[in-house]
Amino acid sequence: MAERFEQSGHGSVDVDDGEPTEDRTGNPLTAIWRRLRVPGRYTIAGAPEGHDARILAEGLHALGRPIIHVCRDDARLSRLISALDFFAPDIPVLALPAWDCVPYDRVSPNAELVARRLHTLSALAAGQAEPALLLTTVSAVLQRRLL
C-alpha cells in the first residue's frame, strides 16, 4: 500500500516500502530523505516557491551526495540561489544557466554567463570533496551544447 507524504498540504511523494512516514521528531521530510538514500532517480515535486530551498538544503545534508534540481527558468534559478544563501549558506551551490542566445546567432553569449557555466563545468569535472547542489534550468537541460 503506497503512502503519500505531504507537508502543510503542499507537494507530495508516494513511497511504498512499509516503513513509518515520520521520524522521532515528527518531520516527514527526514523519513523521505532516509528512503531516498538508495541510488536512483527520484522526482519530488509541488513544493511551494521558497520552501523548496529549505527542502533541498535538508536533503543535501541528509543524503550526503549531490542533488540536481531543475528550475523552470533563469529568474527562478536566481531566486532559488538567493533563498539557498539564506537557508543554508554553508552548502556549495553550482549553477548551470541556459545560454542567452541560440546557436549560429550573430550575437555572442554574455561573458558573465559563459564564466558561470565554465566555473560549474570545471567544478563538476574536477570533482568535489563535499556533495554539492547542482541547479540548472529546463532550457539548459534541453540544449545540446555545453560550451
Side-chain angles (χ1 to χ4, degrees), residues 11 13-14 24-25 29 35 48 53 56-57 64 66 68 73 77 85-86 97 102 110 115-116 119 130 133 141 143 145:
V13 176
D14 291 326
R24 284 179 256 142
T25 63
L29 289 176
R35 290 182 181 154
L56 288 168
I68 300 173
D73 55 26
L77 175 68
D85 284 342
F86 175 77
V102 294
N110 182 327
R116 286 176 61 192
H119 174 269
E130 59 183 323
L133 182 59
V141 169
Q143 290 172 338
R145 15 176 244 145

Side-chain angles (χ1 to χ4, degrees), residues 40-54:
R41 292 181 183 183
Y42 298 95
T43 300
I44 300 176
E49 194 169 318
H51 187 66
D52 53 357
R54 193 186 119 237

